[in-house]
Amino acid sequence: MGSGAGFVVVAGFVVYLLLAVPFVLLVASRTSVTTGWLMSVPLVFLPFTLLIAFMTP
């Protein structure tokens, strides 16, 4: 990804985070802390991990 595609991927990830984090906070406020953590880890950290894995040469 040397042609600017990395920037597009990171920008898409930031937009995803801007949408996912308020949703996770809404669910966490209406349920238990455990449910909030169980939702937030796969929704936020799994895509971040995949982003790092795909951008590592």
Side-chain angles (χ1 to χ4, degrees):
M1 285 203 259
S3 62
F7 176 76
V8 173
V9 170
V10 171
F13 180 71
V14 170
V15 170
Y16 172 77
L17 280 182
L18 290 174
L19 295 173
V21 169
F23 176 67
V24 169
L25 290 174
L26 176 71
V27 170
S29 69
R30 295 181 183 207
T31 60
S32 67
V33 174
T34 306
T35 305
W37 275 105
L38 287 174
M39 264 196 76
S40 68
V41 169
L43 277 176
V44 174
F45 295 116
L46 181 64
F48 179 69
T49 306
L50 291 174
L51 176 70
I52 297 298
F54 288 137
M55 293 190 76
T56 304

